[in-house]
Short mmCIF file of all heavy atoms in Angstrom, two decimals:
data_model
loop_
_atom_site.label_atom_id
_atom_site.label_comp_id
_atom_site.label_asym_id
_atom_site.label_seq_id
_atom_site.Cartn_x
_atom_site.Cartn_y
_atom_site.Cartn_z
N LYS A 994 59.21 88.83 95.07
CA LYS A 994 59.58 88.69 93.67
C LYS A 994 58.67 87.67 93.01
O LYS A 994 58.31 86.67 93.62
CB LYS A 994 61.03 88.23 93.54
CG LYS A 994 62.05 89.24 94.00
CD LYS A 994 63.43 88.66 93.80
CE LYS A 994 64.46 89.64 94.29
NZ LYS A 994 65.80 89.10 94.15
N ASP A 995 58.35 87.94 91.79
CA ASP A 995 57.51 87.03 91.03
C ASP A 995 58.22 85.68 90.89
O ASP A 995 59.39 85.61 90.54
CB ASP A 995 57.21 87.62 89.65
CG ASP A 995 56.17 86.82 88.91
OD1 ASP A 995 55.18 86.39 89.55
OD2 ASP A 995 56.32 86.63 87.69
N GLY A 996 57.49 84.62 91.19
CA GLY A 996 58.04 83.28 91.05
C GLY A 996 58.75 82.76 92.28
O GLY A 996 59.19 81.62 92.29
N GLU A 997 58.89 83.58 93.32
CA GLU A 997 59.51 83.12 94.56
C GLU A 997 58.43 82.87 95.60
O GLU A 997 58.11 83.73 96.40
CB GLU A 997 60.51 84.16 95.07
CG GLU A 997 61.77 84.22 94.28
CD GLU A 997 62.81 85.13 94.91
OE1 GLU A 997 62.68 85.45 96.11
OE2 GLU A 997 63.72 85.52 94.20
N GLY A 998 57.85 81.71 95.56
CA GLY A 998 56.81 81.37 96.52
C GLY A 998 55.42 81.80 96.08
O GLY A 998 54.45 81.62 96.80
N GLY A 999 55.32 82.36 94.91
CA GLY A 999 54.02 82.80 94.40
C GLY A 999 54.19 83.63 93.15
O GLY A 999 55.29 83.83 92.65
N PHE A 1000 53.07 84.09 92.64
CA PHE A 1000 53.07 84.90 91.43
C PHE A 1000 52.66 86.33 91.74
O PHE A 1000 51.85 86.57 92.63
CB PHE A 1000 52.06 84.36 90.41
CG PHE A 1000 52.43 83.05 89.79
CD1 PHE A 1000 51.55 81.99 89.83
CD2 PHE A 1000 53.65 82.89 89.13
CE1 PHE A 1000 51.87 80.78 89.23
CE2 PHE A 1000 53.98 81.69 88.54
CZ PHE A 1000 53.08 80.63 88.58
N LEU A 1001 53.20 87.26 91.01
CA LEU A 1001 52.77 88.65 91.05
C LEU A 1001 52.15 88.98 89.69
O LEU A 1001 52.58 88.47 88.66
CB LEU A 1001 53.95 89.59 91.30
CG LEU A 1001 54.68 89.42 92.62
CD1 LEU A 1001 55.87 90.36 92.69
CD2 LEU A 1001 53.75 89.67 93.80
N PHE A 1002 51.15 89.83 89.72
CA PHE A 1002 50.53 90.26 88.48
C PHE A 1002 49.84 91.59 88.74
O PHE A 1002 49.55 91.94 89.87
CB PHE A 1002 49.53 89.23 87.94
CG PHE A 1002 48.58 88.70 88.97
CD1 PHE A 1002 47.39 89.34 89.22
CD2 PHE A 1002 48.90 87.58 89.70
CE1 PHE A 1002 46.52 88.87 90.18
CE2 PHE A 1002 48.04 87.09 90.67
CZ PHE A 1002 46.85 87.75 90.90
N PRO A 1003 49.62 92.38 87.68
CA PRO A 1003 49.01 93.70 87.86
C PRO A 1003 47.60 93.61 88.44
O PRO A 1003 46.84 92.69 88.12
CB PRO A 1003 48.97 94.28 86.44
CG PRO A 1003 49.96 93.47 85.66
CD PRO A 1003 49.98 92.12 86.29
N VAL A 1004 47.27 94.59 89.27
CA VAL A 1004 45.92 94.67 89.84
C VAL A 1004 44.92 94.76 88.69
O VAL A 1004 45.12 95.51 87.73
CB VAL A 1004 45.79 95.92 90.74
CG1 VAL A 1004 44.35 96.12 91.19
CG2 VAL A 1004 46.71 95.80 91.94
N GLY A 1005 43.90 93.96 88.78
CA GLY A 1005 42.84 94.00 87.77
C GLY A 1005 43.10 93.12 86.56
O GLY A 1005 42.24 93.01 85.69
N ASP A 1006 44.25 92.48 86.48
CA ASP A 1006 44.55 91.61 85.34
C ASP A 1006 43.98 90.22 85.61
O ASP A 1006 44.68 89.30 86.00
CB ASP A 1006 46.05 91.56 85.08
CG ASP A 1006 46.41 90.87 83.77
OD1 ASP A 1006 45.57 90.12 83.23
OD2 ASP A 1006 47.54 91.10 83.28
N HIS A 1007 42.69 90.10 85.39
CA HIS A 1007 41.98 88.86 85.70
C HIS A 1007 42.42 87.71 84.81
O HIS A 1007 42.45 86.55 85.25
CB HIS A 1007 40.47 89.08 85.61
CG HIS A 1007 40.00 90.20 86.47
ND1 HIS A 1007 39.99 90.13 87.84
CD2 HIS A 1007 39.56 91.44 86.16
CE1 HIS A 1007 39.55 91.27 88.34
NE2 HIS A 1007 39.29 92.09 87.35
N ALA A 1008 42.80 88.01 83.58
CA ALA A 1008 43.26 86.96 82.67
C ALA A 1008 44.56 86.34 83.18
O ALA A 1008 44.72 85.11 83.16
CB ALA A 1008 43.45 87.53 81.26
N MET A 1009 45.49 87.18 83.65
CA MET A 1009 46.74 86.65 84.17
C MET A 1009 46.50 85.88 85.47
O MET A 1009 47.09 84.82 85.68
CB MET A 1009 47.76 87.75 84.40
CG MET A 1009 49.13 87.21 84.81
SD MET A 1009 50.39 88.49 85.06
CE MET A 1009 50.77 88.86 83.35
N LEU A 1010 45.63 86.39 86.32
CA LEU A 1010 45.27 85.67 87.54
C LEU A 1010 44.73 84.29 87.21
O LEU A 1010 45.15 83.28 87.80
CB LEU A 1010 44.24 86.46 88.35
CG LEU A 1010 43.60 85.72 89.54
CD1 LEU A 1010 44.64 85.31 90.57
CD2 LEU A 1010 42.53 86.59 90.17
N ALA A 1011 43.83 84.22 86.27
CA ALA A 1011 43.24 82.94 85.87
C ALA A 1011 44.31 82.01 85.30
O ALA A 1011 44.36 80.82 85.65
CB ALA A 1011 42.13 83.16 84.86
N ALA A 1012 45.16 82.53 84.43
CA ALA A 1012 46.20 81.70 83.81
C ALA A 1012 47.16 81.14 84.85
O ALA A 1012 47.54 79.96 84.80
CB ALA A 1012 46.95 82.51 82.76
N ARG A 1013 47.56 81.98 85.78
CA ARG A 1013 48.50 81.52 86.79
C ARG A 1013 47.85 80.56 87.79
O ARG A 1013 48.49 79.63 88.27
CB ARG A 1013 49.15 82.70 87.48
CG ARG A 1013 50.07 83.41 86.49
CD ARG A 1013 50.94 84.40 87.11
NE ARG A 1013 52.00 84.77 86.17
CZ ARG A 1013 52.99 85.57 86.47
NH1 ARG A 1013 53.07 86.08 87.68
NH2 ARG A 1013 53.91 85.86 85.58
N THR A 1014 46.58 80.77 88.07
CA THR A 1014 45.86 79.84 88.93
C THR A 1014 45.77 78.47 88.26
O THR A 1014 46.01 77.44 88.89
CB THR A 1014 44.45 80.37 89.26
OG1 THR A 1014 44.58 81.63 89.93
CG2 THR A 1014 43.68 79.40 90.13
N ILE A 1015 45.45 78.47 86.98
CA ILE A 1015 45.38 77.20 86.24
C ILE A 1015 46.74 76.52 86.22
O ILE A 1015 46.84 75.30 86.40
CB ILE A 1015 44.83 77.45 84.82
CG1 ILE A 1015 43.35 77.81 84.90
CG2 ILE A 1015 45.05 76.23 83.93
CD1 ILE A 1015 42.76 78.35 83.61
N SER A 1016 47.81 77.30 86.03
CA SER A 1016 49.14 76.68 86.01
C SER A 1016 49.45 76.01 87.35
O SER A 1016 50.07 74.94 87.37
CB SER A 1016 50.22 77.70 85.64
OG SER A 1016 50.42 78.63 86.67
N LEU A 1017 49.02 76.61 88.44
CA LEU A 1017 49.23 75.98 89.75
C LEU A 1017 48.38 74.73 89.92
O LEU A 1017 48.83 73.75 90.51
CB LEU A 1017 48.92 76.98 90.88
CG LEU A 1017 49.95 78.06 91.11
CD1 LEU A 1017 49.42 79.08 92.10
CD2 LEU A 1017 51.27 77.47 91.60
N LEU A 1018 47.17 74.77 89.41
CA LEU A 1018 46.30 73.60 89.52
C LEU A 1018 46.84 72.43 88.71
O LEU A 1018 46.66 71.27 89.09
CB LEU A 1018 44.89 73.95 89.04
CG LEU A 1018 44.10 74.89 89.93
CD1 LEU A 1018 42.82 75.35 89.23
CD2 LEU A 1018 43.77 74.22 91.25
N GLU A 1019 47.51 72.72 87.62
CA GLU A 1019 47.98 71.67 86.72
C GLU A 1019 49.41 71.20 87.00
O GLU A 1019 49.82 70.16 86.50
CB GLU A 1019 47.92 72.17 85.27
CG GLU A 1019 46.52 72.42 84.80
CD GLU A 1019 46.43 73.01 83.40
OE1 GLU A 1019 47.44 73.56 82.90
OE2 GLU A 1019 45.34 72.92 82.81
N ASP A 1020 50.16 71.91 87.80
CA ASP A 1020 51.58 71.62 87.98
C ASP A 1020 51.90 71.32 89.45
O ASP A 1020 52.14 72.22 90.25
CB ASP A 1020 52.40 72.81 87.47
CG ASP A 1020 53.89 72.51 87.38
OD1 ASP A 1020 54.37 71.59 88.07
OD2 ASP A 1020 54.56 73.22 86.61
N ASP A 1021 51.91 70.04 89.78
CA ASP A 1021 52.20 69.62 91.16
C ASP A 1021 53.57 70.11 91.63
O ASP A 1021 53.72 70.56 92.76
CB ASP A 1021 52.16 68.10 91.29
CG ASP A 1021 50.77 67.53 91.14
OD1 ASP A 1021 49.79 68.27 91.31
OD2 ASP A 1021 50.67 66.32 90.83
N ARG A 1022 54.56 70.01 90.77
CA ARG A 1022 55.91 70.40 91.15
C ARG A 1022 55.98 71.89 91.47
O ARG A 1022 56.59 72.29 92.46
CB ARG A 1022 56.90 70.05 90.05
CG ARG A 1022 58.31 70.38 90.43
CD ARG A 1022 59.30 69.93 89.40
NE ARG A 1022 60.63 70.36 89.80
CZ ARG A 1022 61.65 70.34 89.01
NH1 ARG A 1022 61.54 69.92 87.77
NH2 ARG A 1022 62.82 70.75 89.45
N LEU A 1023 55.36 72.71 90.64
CA LEU A 1023 55.35 74.15 90.88
C LEU A 1023 54.68 74.48 92.21
O LEU A 1023 55.20 75.27 92.99
CB LEU A 1023 54.64 74.88 89.74
CG LEU A 1023 54.58 76.40 89.83
CD1 LEU A 1023 55.98 77.01 89.86
CD2 LEU A 1023 53.77 76.96 88.67
N ARG A 1024 53.54 73.84 92.48
CA ARG A 1024 52.85 74.05 93.75
C ARG A 1024 53.73 73.69 94.93
O ARG A 1024 53.86 74.44 95.90
CB ARG A 1024 51.56 73.21 93.81
CG ARG A 1024 50.34 73.91 93.39
CD ARG A 1024 49.06 73.17 93.78
NE ARG A 1024 49.12 71.73 93.77
CZ ARG A 1024 48.90 70.96 92.69
NH1 ARG A 1024 48.62 71.52 91.53
NH2 ARG A 1024 48.95 69.66 92.78
N ASN A 1025 54.38 72.54 94.83
CA ASN A 1025 55.26 72.10 95.92
C ASN A 1025 56.46 73.02 96.08
O ASN A 1025 56.86 73.34 97.20
CB ASN A 1025 55.72 70.66 95.69
CG ASN A 1025 54.59 69.67 95.86
OD1 ASN A 1025 53.68 69.88 96.64
ND2 ASN A 1025 54.64 68.57 95.12
N ASP A 1026 57.04 73.44 94.96
CA ASP A 1026 58.17 74.37 95.03
C ASP A 1026 57.76 75.69 95.68
O ASP A 1026 58.48 76.22 96.52
CB ASP A 1026 58.74 74.64 93.63
CG ASP A 1026 59.49 73.45 93.05
OD1 ASP A 1026 59.78 72.50 93.80
OD2 ASP A 1026 59.78 73.48 91.83
N PHE A 1027 56.60 76.22 95.28
CA PHE A 1027 56.12 77.47 95.88
C PHE A 1027 55.89 77.29 97.37
O PHE A 1027 56.20 78.16 98.17
CB PHE A 1027 54.83 77.93 95.21
CG PHE A 1027 55.02 78.74 93.95
CD1 PHE A 1027 56.27 78.93 93.40
CD2 PHE A 1027 53.95 79.32 93.33
CE1 PHE A 1027 56.45 79.68 92.25
CE2 PHE A 1027 54.10 80.08 92.18
CZ PHE A 1027 55.36 80.26 91.64
N GLY A 1028 55.35 76.15 97.75
CA GLY A 1028 55.12 75.88 99.18
C GLY A 1028 56.41 75.87 99.96
O GLY A 1028 56.51 76.47 101.03
N ARG A 1029 57.43 75.20 99.43
CA ARG A 1029 58.73 75.15 100.10
C ARG A 1029 59.37 76.53 100.17
O ARG A 1029 59.90 76.93 101.21
CB ARG A 1029 59.67 74.18 99.38
CG ARG A 1029 59.47 72.72 99.77
CD ARG A 1029 60.59 71.85 99.25
NE ARG A 1029 60.60 71.77 97.79
CZ ARG A 1029 59.81 70.98 97.07
NH1 ARG A 1029 58.94 70.21 97.67
NH2 ARG A 1029 59.89 70.96 95.77
N MET A 1030 59.32 77.27 99.06
CA MET A 1030 59.91 78.61 99.05
C MET A 1030 59.19 79.53 100.02
O MET A 1030 59.83 80.30 100.74
CB MET A 1030 59.87 79.19 97.64
CG MET A 1030 60.90 78.59 96.70
SD MET A 1030 60.94 79.44 95.09
CE MET A 1030 59.57 78.64 94.25
N SER A 1031 57.88 79.46 100.05
CA SER A 1031 57.10 80.33 100.94
C SER A 1031 57.41 80.01 102.40
O SER A 1031 57.55 80.92 103.22
CB SER A 1031 55.61 80.17 100.67
OG SER A 1031 55.30 80.62 99.38
N ARG A 1032 57.52 78.74 102.72
CA ARG A 1032 57.85 78.35 104.08
C ARG A 1032 59.21 78.90 104.48
O ARG A 1032 59.39 79.42 105.58
CB ARG A 1032 57.83 76.83 104.22
CG ARG A 1032 58.10 76.35 105.62
CD ARG A 1032 58.02 74.82 105.72
NE ARG A 1032 58.09 74.37 107.08
CZ ARG A 1032 59.22 74.28 107.79
NH1 ARG A 1032 60.37 74.61 107.25
NH2 ARG A 1032 59.19 73.85 109.03
N GLN A 1033 60.17 78.80 103.58
CA GLN A 1033 61.51 79.30 103.89
C GLN A 1033 61.51 80.81 104.06
O GLN A 1033 62.21 81.34 104.93
CB GLN A 1033 62.51 78.88 102.80
CG GLN A 1033 63.94 79.13 103.20
CD GLN A 1033 64.34 78.36 104.44
OE1 GLN A 1033 64.11 77.16 104.55
NE2 GLN A 1033 64.94 79.05 105.40
N ILE A 1034 60.72 81.51 103.27
CA ILE A 1034 60.62 82.97 103.41
C ILE A 1034 60.11 83.32 104.80
O ILE A 1034 60.63 84.22 105.47
CB ILE A 1034 59.72 83.56 102.31
CG1 ILE A 1034 60.43 83.50 100.96
CG2 ILE A 1034 59.31 84.99 102.64
CD1 ILE A 1034 59.53 83.78 99.76
N VAL A 1035 59.09 82.62 105.25
CA VAL A 1035 58.53 82.88 106.59
C VAL A 1035 59.57 82.57 107.66
O VAL A 1035 59.75 83.34 108.60
CB VAL A 1035 57.24 82.07 106.82
CG1 VAL A 1035 56.80 82.13 108.27
CG2 VAL A 1035 56.14 82.57 105.89
N ILE A 1036 60.27 81.47 107.52
CA ILE A 1036 61.30 81.11 108.50
C ILE A 1036 62.38 82.19 108.55
O ILE A 1036 62.82 82.62 109.62
CB ILE A 1036 61.92 79.73 108.17
CG1 ILE A 1036 60.90 78.63 108.45
CG2 ILE A 1036 63.21 79.50 108.94
CD1 ILE A 1036 61.29 77.27 107.92
N ASP A 1037 62.82 82.64 107.37
CA ASP A 1037 63.89 83.63 107.31
C ASP A 1037 63.47 85.01 107.82
O ASP A 1037 64.25 85.70 108.45
CB ASP A 1037 64.40 83.79 105.87
CG ASP A 1037 65.10 82.55 105.35
OD1 ASP A 1037 65.47 81.69 106.17
OD2 ASP A 1037 65.26 82.43 104.13
N ARG A 1038 62.26 85.40 107.53
CA ARG A 1038 61.83 86.77 107.83
C ARG A 1038 60.99 86.91 109.08
O ARG A 1038 60.92 88.00 109.65
CB ARG A 1038 61.02 87.32 106.66
CG ARG A 1038 61.82 87.45 105.40
CD ARG A 1038 61.00 88.07 104.31
NE ARG A 1038 61.70 88.02 103.05
CZ ARG A 1038 61.15 88.29 101.89
NH1 ARG A 1038 59.87 88.62 101.82
NH2 ARG A 1038 61.85 88.23 100.78
N ALA A 1039 60.32 85.87 109.49
CA ALA A 1039 59.36 86.03 110.57
C ALA A 1039 59.46 84.93 111.62
O ALA A 1039 58.46 84.52 112.18
CB ALA A 1039 57.95 86.07 109.99
N SER A 1040 60.67 84.48 111.89
CA SER A 1040 60.82 83.47 112.93
C SER A 1040 60.41 84.06 114.28
O SER A 1040 60.38 85.28 114.47
CB SER A 1040 62.28 82.99 113.00
OG SER A 1040 63.10 84.02 113.51
N HIS A 1041 60.11 83.20 115.20
CA HIS A 1041 59.73 83.63 116.56
C HIS A 1041 60.82 84.52 117.16
O HIS A 1041 60.53 85.56 117.75
CB HIS A 1041 59.47 82.40 117.43
CG HIS A 1041 59.14 82.72 118.84
ND1 HIS A 1041 57.94 83.27 119.21
CD2 HIS A 1041 59.87 82.59 119.97
CE1 HIS A 1041 57.94 83.46 120.52
NE2 HIS A 1041 59.10 83.05 121.01
N GLU A 1042 62.06 84.10 116.98
CA GLU A 1042 63.17 84.85 117.55
C GLU A 1042 63.26 86.25 116.94
O GLU A 1042 63.49 87.23 117.65
CB GLU A 1042 64.49 84.10 117.33
CG GLU A 1042 64.62 82.83 118.14
CD GLU A 1042 63.85 81.65 117.53
OE1 GLU A 1042 63.41 81.72 116.34
OE2 GLU A 1042 63.66 80.66 118.25
N LYS A 1043 63.10 86.36 115.63
CA LYS A 1043 63.16 87.66 114.98
C LYS A 1043 62.00 88.55 115.41
O LYS A 1043 62.18 89.76 115.62
CB LYS A 1043 63.19 87.51 113.46
CG LYS A 1043 64.51 86.99 112.96
CD LYS A 1043 64.57 86.96 111.46
CE LYS A 1043 65.93 86.44 111.03
NZ LYS A 1043 66.14 86.54 109.61
N GLN A 1044 60.82 87.99 115.55
CA GLN A 1044 59.68 88.78 115.97
C GLN A 1044 59.86 89.26 117.40
O GLN A 1044 59.53 90.41 117.72
CB GLN A 1044 58.38 87.97 115.83
CG GLN A 1044 58.01 87.67 114.39
CD GLN A 1044 57.83 88.93 113.58
OE1 GLN A 1044 57.14 89.86 113.98
NE2 GLN A 1044 58.45 88.99 112.42
N MET A 1045 60.37 88.41 118.27
CA MET A 1045 60.59 88.82 119.66
C MET A 1045 61.66 89.91 119.74
O MET A 1045 61.54 90.85 120.52
CB MET A 1045 60.98 87.61 120.52
CG MET A 1045 59.85 86.61 120.69
SD MET A 1045 58.34 87.34 121.38
CE MET A 1045 58.92 87.82 122.98
N ALA A 1046 62.71 89.79 118.94
CA ALA A 1046 63.75 90.82 118.93
C ALA A 1046 63.17 92.15 118.43
O ALA A 1046 63.50 93.22 118.97
CB ALA A 1046 64.91 90.38 118.05
N PHE A 1047 62.31 92.09 117.44
CA PHE A 1047 61.68 93.30 116.92
C PHE A 1047 60.80 93.96 117.98
O PHE A 1047 60.89 95.17 118.21
CB PHE A 1047 60.86 92.96 115.68
CG PHE A 1047 60.08 94.12 115.12
CD1 PHE A 1047 60.74 95.17 114.51
CD2 PHE A 1047 58.70 94.16 115.23
CE1 PHE A 1047 60.04 96.25 113.99
CE2 PHE A 1047 57.99 95.24 114.73
CZ PHE A 1047 58.66 96.28 114.11
N VAL A 1048 59.99 93.18 118.66
CA VAL A 1048 59.12 93.72 119.71
C VAL A 1048 59.97 94.29 120.85
O VAL A 1048 59.69 95.38 121.36
CB VAL A 1048 58.14 92.64 120.23
CG1 VAL A 1048 57.42 93.10 121.48
CG2 VAL A 1048 57.15 92.26 119.14
N ALA A 1049 61.03 93.59 121.23
CA ALA A 1049 61.91 94.09 122.29
C ALA A 1049 62.54 95.42 121.89
O ALA A 1049 62.65 96.33 122.73
CB ALA A 1049 62.99 93.06 122.60
N SER A 1050 62.92 95.56 120.63
CA SER A 1050 63.53 96.83 120.20
C SER A 1050 62.52 97.97 120.26
O SER A 1050 62.88 99.11 120.59
CB SER A 1050 64.10 96.70 118.79
OG SER A 1050 63.09 96.64 117.81
N ILE A 1051 61.27 97.68 119.99
CA ILE A 1051 60.23 98.72 120.11
C ILE A 1051 60.08 99.16 121.56
O ILE A 1051 60.05 100.35 121.86
CB ILE A 1051 58.88 98.22 119.55
CG1 ILE A 1051 58.98 98.03 118.04
CG2 ILE A 1051 57.74 99.17 119.91
CD1 ILE A 1051 57.79 97.34 117.42
N TYR A 1052 60.01 98.19 122.47
CA TYR A 1052 59.91 98.53 123.90
C TYR A 1052 61.12 99.33 124.37
O TYR A 1052 60.98 100.27 125.15
CB TYR A 1052 59.74 97.27 124.74
CG TYR A 1052 58.34 96.73 124.75
CD1 TYR A 1052 58.05 95.49 124.21
CD2 TYR A 1052 57.29 97.46 125.30
CE1 TYR A 1052 56.76 94.98 124.22
CE2 TYR A 1052 56.00 96.97 125.31
CZ TYR A 1052 55.75 95.72 124.77
OH TYR A 1052 54.47 95.24 124.78
N GLU A 1053 62.30 98.95 123.91
CA GLU A 1053 63.51 99.68 124.31
C GLU A 1053 63.46 101.13 123.84
O GLU A 1053 63.78 102.05 124.59
CB GLU A 1053 64.75 98.98 123.76
CG GLU A 1053 65.07 97.69 124.48
CD GLU A 1053 66.21 96.92 123.83
OE1 GLU A 1053 66.94 97.50 123.00
OE2 GLU A 1053 66.35 95.74 124.15
N ARG A 1054 63.05 101.34 122.59
CA ARG A 1054 62.95 102.70 122.07
C ARG A 1054 61.91 103.50 122.83
O ARG A 1054 62.11 104.66 123.17
CB ARG A 1054 62.60 102.69 120.58
CG ARG A 1054 63.78 102.36 119.69
CD ARG A 1054 63.46 102.64 118.25
NE ARG A 1054 62.21 102.02 117.85
CZ ARG A 1054 62.09 101.03 116.98
NH1 ARG A 1054 63.16 100.56 116.38
NH2 ARG A 1054 60.92 100.53 116.68
N LEU A 1055 60.77 102.88 123.12
CA LEU A 1055 59.71 103.58 123.84
C LEU A 1055 60.12 103.92 125.27
O LEU A 1055 59.85 105.02 125.76
CB LEU A 1055 58.42 102.74 123.85
CG LEU A 1055 57.72 102.58 122.52
CD1 LEU A 1055 56.57 101.60 122.64
CD2 LEU A 1055 57.20 103.94 122.02
N SER A 1056 60.78 102.99 125.93
CA SER A 1056 61.17 103.25 127.32
C SER A 1056 62.25 104.32 127.40
O SER A 1056 62.24 105.15 128.32
CB SER A 1056 61.62 101.98 128.00
OG SER A 1056 62.81 101.49 127.42
N SER A 1057 63.18 104.36 126.48
CA SER A 1057 64.22 105.39 126.53
C SER A 1057 63.69 106.74 126.07
O SER A 1057 64.19 107.77 126.48
CB SER A 1057 65.43 104.97 125.71
OG SER A 1057 65.08 104.82 124.35
N ALA A 1058 62.65 106.78 125.26
CA ALA A 1058 62.07 108.04 124.80
C ALA A 1058 61.32 108.74 125.93
O ALA A 1058 61.19 109.96 125.93
CB ALA A 1058 61.14 107.79 123.63
N ARG A 1059 60.83 108.00 126.90
CA ARG A 1059 60.05 108.59 128.01
C ARG A 1059 60.93 109.14 129.11
O ARG A 1059 60.44 109.85 129.98
CB ARG A 1059 59.09 107.55 128.58
CG ARG A 1059 58.02 107.18 127.60
CD ARG A 1059 57.07 106.21 128.21
NE ARG A 1059 56.05 105.85 127.24
CZ ARG A 1059 54.99 105.16 127.50
NH1 ARG A 1059 54.78 104.74 128.74
NH2 ARG A 1059 54.11 104.86 126.57
N LEU A 1060 62.19 108.81 129.11
CA LEU A 1060 63.08 109.26 130.20
C LEU A 1060 63.54 110.65 130.02
O LEU A 1060 63.54 111.45 129.35
CB LEU A 1060 64.30 108.33 130.32
CG LEU A 1060 63.97 106.90 130.68
CD1 LEU A 1060 65.25 106.07 130.65
CD2 LEU A 1060 63.37 106.81 132.08
#
């Protein structure tokens, strides 16, 4: 989502890219907030435990499909 750990903008919209980059360069709080939000997103979605469970589920499906 736009504003949750980063900005979204249409492909090829160089003016919006530039404007949002400048806003990050000028706003320490926004940069820090985005950093915290992004870190939490990674923790929630891609923790070691979740990745291992995902890989294990793939192996389980593959092993049962061969039987």
Side-chain angles (χ1 to χ4, degrees):
K994 293 181 182 178
D995 189 41
E997 287 187 17
F1000 290 126
L1001 298 177
F1002 48 88
V1004 173
D1006 190 340
H1007 305 290
M1009 186 179 283
L1010 170 61
R1013 291 191 166 185
T1014 300
I1015 290 168
S1016 71
L1017 285 172
L1018 290 170
E1019 294 176 341
D1020 190 337
D1021 291 340
R1022 182 175 177 194
L1023 181 60
R1024 265 194 326 274
N1025 290 330
D1026 288 348
F1027 275 6
R1029 277 191 294 280
M1030 285 186 278
S1031 295
R1032 183 178 188 281
Q1033 191 60 50
I1034 289 168
V1035 170
I1036 289 169
D1037 293 344
R1038 296 183 188 169
S1040 69
H1041 177 72
E1042 291 79 13
K1043 287 186 180 188
Q1044 293 301 312
M1045 292 304 296
F1047 176 70
V1048 170
S1050 72
I1051 292 171
Y1052 280 116
E1053 287 173 15
R1054 282 192 309 247
L1055 291 173
S1056 66
S1057 62
R1059 293 183 181 189
L1060 297 175

